[in-house]
Amino acid sequence: MRFVSQIFQPVVSIPKGATIKNIEITCKSQKLLMECGLVRPTSAGLFTILPLARRAISKLENIIHTCLEEVGAQRLSLPCLTSARLWEKSGRMDDVGPELIKVEDRHGKKYLLAPTHEEAIADLFADISPLSYKQLPFLLYQIGNKYRDEHRPKHGLLRAREFSMMDAYSAHATHTCASRAYDTVTEAYRKIFSTLHLPVHRVQAPSGDMGGSLSHEWQLPAQVGEDSLAVCPSCSHAALSTDSSTCQQCGRETNEVNSIEVGHTFVLGARYSEPLQANYIAADGATASVHMACYGIGITRLLSASIECLSSEKALRWPLAIAPYSALVIGPKEGSKEWVGHGFDRVQEIARQLEQHGFRDDVIVDDRHALTIGKRLVMADRMGYPNIIVCGRGALESPPRYELHRAGGEAPLLLTVGELLHTLRQDRENRENREIDVEYETRAGE
Amino acid sequence: MRFVSQIFQPVVSIPKGATIKNIEITCKSQKLLMECGLVRPTSAGLFTILPLARRAISKLENIIHTCLEEVGAQRLSLPCLTSARLWEKSGRMDDVGPELIKVEDRHGKKYLLAPTHEEAIADLFADISPLSYKQLPFLLYQIGNKYRDEHRPKHGLLRAREFSMMDAYSAHATHTCASRAYDTVTEAYRKIFSTLHLPVHRVQAPSGDMGGSLSHEWQLPAQVGEDSLAVCPSCSHAALSTDSSTCQQCGRETNEVNSIEVGHTFVLGARYSEPLQANYIAADGATASVHMACYGIGITRLLSASIECLSSEKALRWPLAIAPYSALVIGPKEGSKEWVGHGFDRVQEIARQLEQHGFRDDVIVDDRHALTIGKRLVMADRMGYPNIIVCGRGALESPPRYELHRAGGEAPLLLTVGELLHTLRQDRENRENREIDVEYETRAGE
């Protein structure tokens, strides 16, 4: 059980139009995360993730980890420092150009801080080449920092220079096998976004710098987004905006929405394995380039994009599965009748009950007794805690009753402990069963 | 449940005296981790952590995380790119010198890839200064990559250029409070190393480049270690070796042992808060520098050091709590009498039973049916799986019996399923209750 008074959460107030370290505040996730003491910039495009946001990220990482391991992915860690030689071999050194952060070691050897690891993983396969077709396929992923020297970092974590990503890579003997893995990872992505209850659209996309034969972007609608989607109100089909405003699927008029790219998936073919000589030996003894696919989700970007999508200008809202704490308990003000009546023990007892009934390591107690319940409720609402339990006047009744305020703004419920635990359990079950209402396009392999 | 045939584990054989990417093989952890397909160098001092080693690291991170959170530490993430300006302010830019990896961004602004974050954390405190004494203390930690451009990286993960660390920082209003936190974190360290059952010695140490008033190194004896300890066989007192071979505590003759520094703790005082202006306002209204302490554990180093300490030249041994999988199940060879008799179903059933009885997500099945049981047993022993369960001839008996081979080399036991689960549970309980036999020095604050 944690206490709000002990959390390292430097709350600040940012006047309208102010700049922080020469950076303009251009969107609500950036403003709310900073004002609520969750994230602080250290310089342009670089951020310290403070403890409550760090908890949200750990929860997000766990969801991604679980969904990927379920489809057989194996986690590894590639070094962030990638030899420049590999990027020269793939020809991307010049394509990506000024966004690459280059590093030279004390012996003059050239590296870069990898924005992505296609070259590094192909080099790993090459290093153990020739693989036998019997060893394939592999599906490998990592979670870690990536680097991109953005000309103008902006929107806080949405466009940073150091950011956290999940990046996955698969290696195959055939294109068919690569397509199958692509579909499997697509399913895992769907599960990730549906666990978060985020209306993420998968849209066909050009392959760009990355190369390869097929790619999809995973887009989350949000006003501040720099991409634009054409979403069909009739059949829910979504696509990157083009000149036409006609749905490619059903022919109806589409709506334009801004959106944020939170993930990307690519069938790469031999784009990297060929120049980097990642080969395998087929059943007939012939040597060929490994077929590859790659998959990314921007973790810090997804965190801020989801806040951008769900929050108001004034109050944070999180996907429930990644809120820093799922439940906050507020006790009476020191010296009040309730304080005298049941004191702080009752508050801690409620928190313990919650810990034991589905909220293990996921309850925080607002122990700032000097503040009124009302003031703490306002702050808790701004922080977006999904369940706020107030241990106030009702707790003096027999049996004692507690207020349950749920993010979403319905009127609070007055419940006994038993009813409270039951209601919260039902909420959880409903959430797990509810399917999110997003239609995805058909699969790559169909 | 995972299957050995699906694991990405590029096993190689390194001839004696061979160099890999111009790097000499100088110690057994380096050789075994590479030969067993757990780690691969990408260039000097840079490593890919392959899936089985990555699992061990995740387990290690979890232990560290749990022990630190128990004493109230809060996780955050500071950027790896630290502004060079901060290191100029602290004066360490020149002290650490050529080991710093320097980076310039597209606008010519100077950064470094942080080897440690005292400056960055002091700058964070300064950024929210003046803190009130009421907000203190804080204990913050992170887990992530650190960088040091070693002149001669060696011994594999023991001396790498990019490595993973847990680094923690505390901020206090008084020296007494800093000492108290130092003692608390010391207890957490003891719990971490005792969970790993590693004989780590805490020894008083000079503060070196780091500065501050008090520091301890946490040293794990191992032949390849570059440090040297004087350990008293009588009272177990340990100290960094000096000219004298007399125990400082009891006056007896000490033994010299080589050892590896796996952690370090420092009381820093105002060493960083003063130049970086991390101030707080005391109860009397006066402004003063925050008192700081810092704490580190090298995660990738601790992994390799523990392997160095526990393994033989021929076979990996892990601290049981971080073995990649705690149990491996081996079934009969395809076509054998046992294969015909109970087939692969029985093997999977045993694995499922283990998953349900204390080994959730922690069982792997060696499904390479083309190999004999004996051959797979040899490989499993080399990998150091703590519990190897063989589903062989005994499984045809009524009731079926299974061989349990435990890392440590005792004769295998032949057990029914019930006996097997009972024995493994007892092992776990014994391990949890067994105190490791290391005497630590008295505390800083005593």
Side-chain angles (χ1 to χ4, degrees):
Chain A
M1 196 187 311
R2 290 283 195 166
F3 298 98
V4 170
S5 69
Q6 292 165 8
I7 297 290
F8 183 67
Q9 186 185 8
V11 173
V12 290
S13 174
I14 304 172
K16 217 169 179 157
T19 61
I20 307 288
K21 296 183 195 268
N22 289 322
I23 303 155
E24 280 177 70
I25 309 299
T26 48
C27 67
K28 57 190 175 186
S29 61
Q30 184 188 14
K31 183 165 194 278
L32 287 166
L33 285 169
M34 211 185 309
E35 287 200 330
C36 291
L38 301 173
V39 166
R40 283 191 81 83
T42 63
S43 62
L46 298 174
F47 298 90
T48 296
I49 310 289
L50 295 167
L52 291 175
R54 180 61 241 185
R55 274 184 66 92
I57 286 179
S58 295
K59 287 185 173 187
L60 184 51
E61 288 173 349
N62 274 340
I63 291 168
I64 292 173
H65 173 79
T66 304
C67 293
L68 287 175
E69 295 265 337
E70 268 175 14
V71 298
Q74 298 171 57
R75 183 170 175 191
L76 48 51
S77 295
L78 297 157
C80 292
L81 285 170
T82 299
S83 172
R85 187 179 46 82
L86 303 181
W87 282 60
E88 279 154 11
K89 279 193 191 170
S90 73
R92 277 211 291 184
M93 199 60 147
D94 298 326
D95 295 351
V96 182
E99 291 195 350
L100 287 176
I101 299 182
K102 292 172 188 131
V103 176
E104 207 165 292
D105 76 6
R106 64 200 289 164
H107 306 296
K109 198 169 172 225
K110 291 187 169 60
Y111 294 89
L112 47 89
L113 284 171
T116 174
H117 278 92
E118 286 73 24
E119 283 82 355
I121 201 94
D123 184 54
L124 172 64
F125 295 147
D127 197 30
I128 55 176
S129 278
L131 289 156
S132 156
Y133 71 97
K134 288 187 206 158
Q135 292 173 270
L136 299 171
F138 305 125
L139 173 56
L140 304 168
Y141 74 103
Q142 60 175 348
I143 290 176
N145 283 340
K146 297 279 180 283
Y147 296 84
R148 192 174 296 145
D149 200 356
E150 296 281 354
H151 185 59
R152 267 176 58 86
K154 64 171 169 173
H155 297 335
L157 292 181
L158 286 177
R159 192 168 287 282
R161 298 199 292 172
E162 178 177 318
F163 49 96
S164 169
M165 269 192 73
M166 180 292 293
D167 48 323
Y169 306 89
S170 61
H172 310 271
T174 64
H175 177 72
T176 311
C177 181
S179 292
R180 208 157 44 220
Y182 192 83
D183 292 343
T184 304
V185 176
T186 294
E187 284 307 318
Y189 270 45
R190 284 177 184 170
K191 187 156 179 197
I192 290 165
F193 296 123
S194 110
T195 304
L196 297 169
H197 285 276
L198 289 174
V200 173
H201 297 279
R202 187 177 88 132
V203 298
Q204 200 137 14
S207 292
D209 284 344
M210 193 68 86
S213 60
L214 175 72
S215 104
H216 289 89
E217 290 177 7
W218 297 74
Q219 292 274 359
L220 179 63
Q223 223 181 350
V224 76
E226 296 181 342
D227 293 328
S228 178
L229 296 187
V231 180
C232 177
S234 167
C235 75
S236 300
H237 177 82
L240 289 175
S241 290
T242 58
D243 292 341
S244 153
S245 64
T246 308
C247 175
Q248 295 155 23
Q249 194 160 277
C250 75
R252 297 236 171 69
E253 187 83 358
T254 56
N255 296 329
E256 291 270 310
V257 295
N258 291 340
S259 77
I260 300 167
E261 183 189 341
V262 292
H264 209 141
T265 48
F266 298 87
V267 176
L268 295 171
R271 167 68 186 87
Y272 298 92
S273 47
E274 198 271 320
L276 286 147
Q277 298 178 284
N279 299 324
Y280 78 100
I281 297 181
D284 62 5
T287 299
S289 297
V290 163
H291 290 260
M292 281 174 56
C294 73
Y295 321 87
I297 291 179
I299 291 180
T300 36
R301 180 182 282 185
L302 178 54
L303 176 81
S304 49
S306 65
I307 287 171
E308 198 62 45
C309 166
L310 301 173
S311 303
S312 71
E313 294 290 336
K314 292 205 181 329
L316 278 169
R317 288 296 178 267
W318 311 79
L320 298 186
I322 64 167
Y325 287 91
S326 295
L328 172 84
V329 184
I330 300 179
K333 188 177 181 209
E334 203 162 8
S336 66
K337 200 168 73 183
E338 296 79 11
W339 178 267
V340 175
H342 56 70
F344 193 51
D345 290 349
R346 181 72 61 81
V347 178
Q348 287 180 286
E349 176 53 29
I350 282 288
R352 257 191 301 275
Q353 292 265 0
L354 292 167
E355 290 263 2
Q356 285 161 16
H357 292 85
F359 292 92
R360 201 159 80 86
D361 284 336
D362 209 15
V363 180
I364 186 163
V365 174
D366 192 340
D367 58 338
R368 294 171 298 176
H369 318 306
L371 305 177
T372 63
I373 287 178
K375 173 128 204 212
R376 281 177 288 163
L377 255 178
V378 168
M379 292 193 284
D381 179 64
R382 183 166 163 77
M383 265 296 294
Y385 289 109
N387 298 291
I388 302 166
I389 293 96
V390 175
C391 193
R393 191 158 308 161
L396 293 175
E397 294 172 18
S398 173
R401 284 171 203 279
Y402 305 91
E403 283 171 38
L404 171 62
H405 300 248
R406 285 178 286 188
E410 299 156 64
L413 305 173
L414 199 61
L415 305 168
T416 63
V417 180
E419 290 164 349
L420 175 68
L421 299 176
H422 178 75
T423 304
L424 293 172
R425 192 175 61 240
Q426 274 203 328
D427 280 359
R428 245 194 332 270
E429 286 169 6
N430 290 343
R431 201 163 65 241
E432 276 155 22
N433 296 330
R434 202 172 65 216
E435 273 297 308
I436 187 153
D437 188 23
V438 180
E439 282 295 319
Y440 295 95
E441 285 191 78
T442 50
R443 304 177 183 189
E446 275 167 12
Chain B
M1 195 187 311
R2 290 282 195 166
F3 298 97
V4 170
S5 69
Q6 292 165 8
I7 298 290
F8 183 67
Q9 186 186 7
V11 173
V12 291
S13 175
I14 304 172
K16 218 171 178 153
T19 61
I20 306 289
K21 296 182 195 269
N22 290 322
I23 303 154
E24 279 177 71
I25 309 299
T26 48
C27 67
K28 57 190 176 187
S29 61
Q30 183 188 15
K31 183 164 194 277
L32 287 166
L33 285 169
M34 211 185 310
E35 288 200 330
C36 291
L38 301 173
V39 166
R40 283 191 82 83
T42 64
S43 61
L46 298 173
F47 298 90
T48 297
I49 310 289
L50 295 166
L52 291 175
R54 180 60 242 186
R55 273 184 67 91
I57 285 179
S58 295
K59 287 185 174 188
L60 184 51
E61 288 174 349
N62 274 340
I63 291 168
I64 292 173
H65 174 79
T66 304
C67 293
L68 287 174
E69 296 265 336
E70 268 175 14
V71 298
Q74 298 171 56
R75 183 170 175 191
L76 48 50
S77 294
L78 297 157
C80 291
L81 285 171
T82 299
S83 172
R85 186 178 47 82
L86 303 182
W87 282 60
E88 279 155 12
K89 280 193 191 170
S90 73
R92 277 211 291 184
M93 199 61 148
D94 299 326
D95 294 351
V96 182
E99 291 194 351
L100 287 176
I101 299 182
K102 291 171 188 132
V103 176
E104 206 165 293
D105 76 6
R106 63 200 290 165
H107 306 297
K109 197 167 173 228
K110 291 188 169 61
Y111 294 89
L112 47 89
L113 284 172
T116 174
H117 278 92
E118 286 73 24
E119 283 82 355
I121 201 93
D123 184 55
L124 172 64
F125 295 147
D127 196 30
I128 55 175
S129 279
L131 289 156
S132 156
Y133 71 98
K134 288 186 207 158
Q135 292 173 270
L136 299 171
F138 306 126
L139 174 56
L140 304 167
Y141 74 103
Q142 60 175 347
I143 290 175
N145 283 340
K146 297 279 180 283
Y147 296 85
R148 192 174 297 145
D149 200 357
E150 297 281 354
H151 185 59
R152 267 176 58 86
K154 65 172 169 172
H155 296 335
L157 292 180
L158 286 178
R159 192 168 287 282
R161 298 198 293 172
E162 177 177 318
F163 49 96
S164 169
M165 268 192 72
M166 180 293 293
D167 47 323
Y169 306 89
S170 61
H172 311 271
T174 64
H175 176 72
T176 312
C177 181
S179 292
R180 209 158 42 221
Y182 192 83
D183 292 342
T184 304
V185 176
T186 294
E187 283 307 316
Y189 270 45
R190 284 177 185 171
K191 187 156 178 196
I192 291 164
F193 296 123
S194 109
T195 303
L196 297 169
H197 285 276
L198 289 174
V200 172
H201 297 278
R202 187 177 89 131
V203 298
Q204 200 137 14
S207 292
D209 284 345
M210 193 68 86
S213 60
L214 175 71
S215 105
H216 289 90
E217 290 176 7
W218 297 74
Q219 292 273 359
L220 179 63
Q223 222 180 351
V224 76
E226 296 180 343
D227 293 328
S228 177
L229 296 187
V231 180
C232 177
S234 166
C235 75
S236 299
H237 177 82
L240 289 176
S241 290
T242 58
D243 292 341
S244 152
S245 63
T246 308
C247 175
Q248 295 154 24
Q249 194 161 277
C250 75
R252 297 236 171 69
E253 187 84 357
T254 56
N255 296 329
E256 290 270 310
V257 295
N258 291 340
S259 78
I260 301 168
E261 183 189 340
V262 292
H264 209 142
T265 48
F266 298 87
V267 175
L268 295 171
R271 167 68 186 86
Y272 297 92
S273 47
E274 198 271 320
L276 287 147
Q277 298 178 284
N279 299 325
Y280 77 100
I281 297 181
D284 62 5
T287 299
S289 297
V290 163
H291 290 259
M292 282 174 58
C294 72
Y295 321 87
I297 292 179
I299 292 180
T300 36
R301 180 182 283 186
L302 177 54
L303 175 81
S304 49
S306 65
I307 287 170
E308 198 62 44
C309 166
L310 301 172
S311 303
S312 71
E313 293 290 336
K314 292 205 181 327
L316 278 169
R317 287 297 178 267
W318 311 79
L320 298 186
I322 64 168
Y325 287 91
S326 295
L328 171 84
V329 184
I330 300 179
K333 188 177 180 208
E334 203 161 7
S336 66
K337 199 168 73 183
E338 296 79 11
W339 178 267
V340 175
H342 56 69
F344 193 51
D345 290 349
R346 181 71 62 82
V347 178
Q348 286 180 286
E349 176 53 29
I350 282 288
R352 257 191 300 276
Q353 292 265 0
L354 292 167
E355 290 263 1
Q356 285 161 16
H357 292 84
F359 292 92
R360 201 160 80 85
D361 284 336
D362 209 16
V363 180
I364 186 162
V365 174
D366 192 339
D367 58 338
R368 294 171 298 176
H369 317 306
L371 305 177
T372 63
I373 288 179
K375 172 128 203 211
R376 281 177 287 164
L377 255 177
V378 168
M379 292 193 285
D381 179 65
R382 183 165 162 78
M383 266 296 294
Y385 289 109
N387 298 291
I388 302 166
I389 294 96
V390 175
C391 193
R393 190 158 310 160
L396 293 175
E397 295 171 18
S398 174
R401 285 171 203 279
Y402 306 91
E403 283 171 38
L404 171 62
H405 300 248
R406 285 178 285 188
E410 299 156 65
L413 304 174
L414 199 60
L415 305 169
T416 64
V417 180
E419 290 164 349
L420 175 68
L421 299 176
H422 178 76
T423 305
L424 292 172
R425 193 174 61 240
Q426 274 203 328
D427 280 359
R428 247 195 327 274
E429 287 169 5
N430 289 344
R431 202 163 63 240
E432 277 155 22
N433 297 329
R434 202 173 66 216
E435 272 298 307
I436 187 154
D437 188 22
V438 181
E439 282 296 318
Y440 295 95
E441 285 191 78
T442 50
R443 303 177 183 189
E446 276 167 12

